Amino acid sequence: MNDAAPAPTPAPAPRRARVRAPELIGKGGWLNTGGKDLSLADLRGRIAILDFWTFCCINCLHVLDELRELEEKHRDTVVIIGVHSPKFVHEAEHAAVVDAVERYQVHHPVLDDPELATWKQYAVRAWPTLVVIDPEGYIVAQHAGEGHAHALARLVEELEAEHEAKGTLRRGDGPYVAPEPVAGALRFPGKALLLPSGNLLVSDSTRHQLVELAADGESVVRRIGSGERGFAGDSFSEPQGLALLPDGKVVVADTVNHALRTYDPATGHVETVAGTGRQWWQGSPTSGPALEVDLSSPWDVAWWQGRVWIAMAGVHQLWTWDPEAGTVEVAAGTTSEGLLDGPAAEAWFAQPSGLAAAGDRLWIADSETSALRYVEAADAGYVIKSAVGTGLFDFGHRDGDAAQALLQHPLGVTALPDGSVAVSDTYNHALRRYDPATGQVSTLATDLREPSDAVLVGEDIVVVESARHRLTRLRLPEEAVRVDAVAHRTQRAATEVAPGTLRLDVVFQAPVGQKLDTRYGPSTRLLVSSTPPELLADGEGAGTDLFRELALNPDVTEGVLHVSAMAASCDDDPANEYPACHVHQQDWGVPVRVTADGAARLPLVLAGMDAEG
């Protein structure tokens, strides 16, 4: 650990080092271009921003939203290219990428790179990563994680002025071609709820609405919301989770608005009850009056033990909202991403996305760890336990004993009458079952296209088939479906590192016109851990320097380094008493393999360019 002294201001990197951008290649081809393949030559004269993303990643979805204003404002000079680089096997399917581009309303060209060819060419290490290419085809900046929109806007303005003066800027329409809109009652629905009337309420996420369907699950009774992305009035922005409150109202996880709303089926009234519309960042309050505390991508909600529990996917935590007191607070999780059980305050989650209350347990679909977990009350407070799943990098479709069973990015969980739970195993296109009494995992149904939730209706279970844009009613089977077991690991190649001491450098250069904010102490934070924990003999823990000497255990030859970095920068204007400040943050999970000829230095770029790279 090294947390005694504040981090010094990094020396400025060489201005815009001349690094030629590698070509854009991807076996899956191009989307949103009207069928045309693009090359770097087609982008010459424009400022290109490559967004390396994958659609399972909540931080990637945050960046998509951060880029929308920049994309619109500089549409005649900037071309954003999404480079889809999959983590899960399902994300390598071209049809799934096509769905994701529509689901998340990506309004720029996307290169489908299922084999991570362009990812490797650009030496990318994390989702999301942004790379800026100038109009002459040179890389001028790289940013990992969230919070860089302001820096990109400043850099774009600089590049526009510089290349306008040089005569190398080409203005005009970009290569984006919008796909044809598709009709239908639902479009990528997220979650469903059985109303007391017997009708079904569905979050129609891509259309920014709630839809009430008749008991048949097909006939539209009414639509709630304007249908346009927004926060005022009854507008929503990609709503997801729904839960019935004791007073008959429905609480809605208004995901991209970072808020909770209530909908009253009796009056049609929509009201904001928690969140400010702004995304939570490190250092922001984690409890207080509900309408004054920022939230981060609430994905599901459940009424349990007198409060609404919130799957706060954006920060890998569980929060609660107390309607009577009008307050919110963190209930479990540290914001570190991973799978770690134990006391609620110390547990790690990874994009919890589904909740189901069942007596003395609250079940959790922890999507990025492909895990089924639960909260349970203990003498000293709540504890977190895992039923299925081992961590961020192992996934698949395997039934049997829970200790070796595998899921793939589940988004939903449903309590069943016999005490077992059904898991919407999203990327396996299956409905799975876990029985706590026997410790066994089985498959209830297959051929469900990206199921994201399920709700009990009498003796049936109604599944939200998100990528088929419909609800599908199934009779709960008495016998499991037999499937061929398959196991996977994330396909990213391990970084080879030398034995002994490894120098970890998080590269951060404050954007032009800004400096590190040291008014209230250190403005940087670095947290390091490993899987297995024995990988590190020394160097784990928190500190304020963005570098660390890590001692590798000679008895462990491979594992994953978990690195979380944060830096706060503010406008560098002495005359401004209240400068605007911005937080840059990213979590990396870096698979490493110890080899004799491996690297002795591991650079991770948070913002800027690695001068030693």
Side-chain angles (χ1 to χ4, degrees):
M1 292 178 61
N2 190 350
D3 55 2
T9 302
R15 290 292 292 161
R16 298 210 258 283
R18 304 288 282 179
V19 179
R20 176 67 72 177
E23 190 53 82
L24 305 177
I25 52 175
K27 189 175 181 181
W30 288 88
L31 305 175
N32 284 355
T33 62
K36 179 183 177 181
D37 290 345
L38 299 181
S39 67
L40 286 177
D42 296 319
L43 306 178
R44 193 62 55 85
R46 311 296 291 274
I47 301 162
I49 300 175
L50 307 185
D51 176 16
F52 289 87
W53 70 298
T54 189
F55 63 78
C56 72
C57 162
I58 191 67
N59 311 91
C60 299
L61 303 186
H62 289 168
V63 167
L64 283 176
D65 290 316
E66 287 180 4
L67 293 175
R68 293 187 197 279
E69 183 178 348
L70 176 74
E71 188 170 33
E72 186 59 37
K73 183 177 180 180
H74 298 273
R75 191 168 288 279
D76 66 332
T77 58
V78 172
V79 177
I80 296 175
I81 302 289
V83 183
H84 189 268
S85 313
K87 170 186 174 180
F88 290 99
V89 169
H90 170 60
E91 293 174 306
E93 297 174 13
H94 184 70
V97 181
V98 173
D99 284 345
V101 167
E102 181 189 350
R103 179 194 297 270
Y104 298 115
Q105 299 178 321
V106 179
H107 294 161
H108 50 251
V110 173
L111 173 63
D112 180 11
D113 183 18
E115 297 176 346
L116 302 182
T118 296
W119 166 287
K120 293 170 186 173
Q121 287 289 315
Y122 281 81
V124 174
R125 295 185 185 274
W127 298 279
T129 291
L130 299 166
V131 176
V132 183
I133 302 173
D134 74 10
E136 294 179 284
Y138 291 93
I139 298 173
V140 294
Q142 181 173 328
H143 302 270
E146 304 177 50
H148 301 294
H150 66 287
L152 289 173
R154 182 70 176 262
L155 178 57
V156 163
E157 290 171 357
E158 279 196 340
L159 290 170
E160 285 177 341
E162 176 184 333
H163 288 274
E164 190 96 76
K166 290 173 66 175
T168 50
L169 184 71
R170 176 170 58 88
R171 294 180 180 270
D173 293 335
Y176 170 68
V177 178
E180 290 294 322
V182 182
L186 301 172
R187 202 70 190 162
F188 297 105
K191 306 286 186 181
L193 174 69
L194 180 64
L195 295 171
S197 65
N199 288 351
L200 291 156
L201 188 66
V202 184
S203 54
D204 197 18
S205 302
T206 297
R207 292 199 176 126
H208 315 297
Q209 290 182 316
L210 309 181
V211 179
E212 183 178 339
L213 300 175
D216 62 8
E218 298 179 7
S219 306
V220 175
V221 175
R222 64 177 60 85
R223 294 184 176 274
I224 302 97
S226 66
E228 298 293 329
R229 186 188 298 272
F231 193 37
D234 66 352
S235 293
F236 297 95
S237 189
E238 297 181 32
Q240 286 285 342
L242 307 166
L244 193 64
L245 298 177
D247 63 4
K249 293 180 182 178
V250 176
V251 61
V252 183
D254 195 3
T255 304
V256 177
N257 278 328
H258 309 294
L260 297 188
R261 321 285 291 281
T262 56
Y263 162 64
D264 188 343
T267 65
H269 182 63
V270 174
E271 180 182 0
T272 302
V273 294
T276 62
R278 297 184 301 271
Q279 183 183 342
W280 185 94
W281 290 99
Q282 289 286 352
S284 301
T286 56
S287 64
L291 291 170
E292 298 176 15
V293 177
D294 298 340
L295 308 182
S296 182
S297 297
W299 207 274
D300 202 6
V301 282
W303 178 259
W304 188 59
Q305 297 202 344
R307 291 178 289 171
V308 171
W309 288 68
I310 310 164
M312 202 71 78
V315 285
H316 319 299
Q317 291 180 313
L318 303 181
W319 288 42
T320 61
W321 168 54
D322 184 336
E324 190 170 324
T327 56
V328 292
E329 63 180 354
V330 173
T334 66
T335 75
S336 293
E337 184 178 13
L339 191 153
L340 181 65
D341 291 339
E346 301 171 14
W348 291 17
F349 299 95
Q351 289 179 217
S353 300
L355 299 174
D360 58 358
R361 286 184 179 178
L362 178 69
W363 292 96
I364 308 155
D366 201 29
S367 62
E368 278 291 286
T369 54
S370 297
L372 173 65
R373 308 174 72 187
Y374 59 92
V375 187
E376 202 168 51
D379 293 340
Y382 294 107
V383 294
I384 309 302
K385 298 181 180 179
S386 294
V388 183
T390 58
L392 285 166
F393 300 98
D394 295 293
F395 57 92
H397 193 152
R398 183 195 286 154
D399 288 333
D401 186 75
Q404 56 85 52
L406 294 172
L407 309 170
Q408 187 179 179
H409 198 79
L411 290 178
V413 59
T414 308
L416 300 179
D418 63 358
S420 66
V421 290
V423 179
S424 295
D425 194 5
T426 309
Y427 288 2
N428 279 328
H429 312 300
L431 190 66
R432 310 285 293 282
R433 177 177 178 263
Y434 168 68
D435 186 352
T438 63
Q440 295 293 299
V441 175
S442 57
T443 298
L444 297 177
T446 57
D447 192 30
L448 298 166
R449 189 69 184 170
E450 291 192 17
S452 54
D453 195 22
V455 59
L456 284 174
V457 180
E459 296 182 355
D460 296 338
I461 189 164
V462 175
V463 180
V464 180
E465 276 199 272
S466 190
R468 282 200 178 110
H469 321 293
R470 71 187 188 191
L471 303 187
T472 298
R473 185 181 296 263
L474 304 172
R475 179 58 54 94
L476 274 172
E478 296 181 5
E479 295 185 8
V481 177
R482 287 193 173 275
V483 295
D484 293 329
V486 59
H488 302 289
R489 281 185 66 81
T490 300
Q491 64 171 314
R492 278 188 298 164
T495 297
E496 295 191 349
V497 297
T501 300
L502 177 65
R503 165 83 179 200
L504 171 66
D505 281 321
V506 174
V507 177
F508 177 76
Q509 285 118 29
V512 175
Q514 295 187 14
K515 64 178 181 180
L516 288 175
D517 176 21
T518 57
R519 291 171 299 165
Y520 307 108
S523 62
T524 54
R525 185 192 73 157
L526 180 63
L527 179 66
V528 179
S529 62
S530 65
T531 302
E534 296 78 23
L535 175 65
L536 288 178
D538 191 34
E540 67 175 353
T544 56
D545 287 336
L546 292 181
F547 58 87
R548 185 83 56 86
E549 298 285 343
L550 305 179
L552 300 176
N553 185 340
D555 298 326
V556 181
T557 58
E558 62 180 329
V560 179
L561 289 175
H562 303 284
V563 180
S564 177
M566 184 273 288
S569 63
C570 295
D571 292 343
D572 187 10
D573 182 1
N576 185 354
E577 186 178 356
Y578 303 103
C581 296
H582 308 274
V583 176
H584 317 254
Q585 65 182 48
Q586 172 63 0
D587 296 334
W588 290 267
V590 184
V592 296
R593 182 179 300 114
V594 181
T595 61
D597 55 354
R601 175 176 178 264
L602 176 62
L604 301 175
V605 178
L606 179 60
M609 297 285 285
D610 179 20
E612 298 183 40

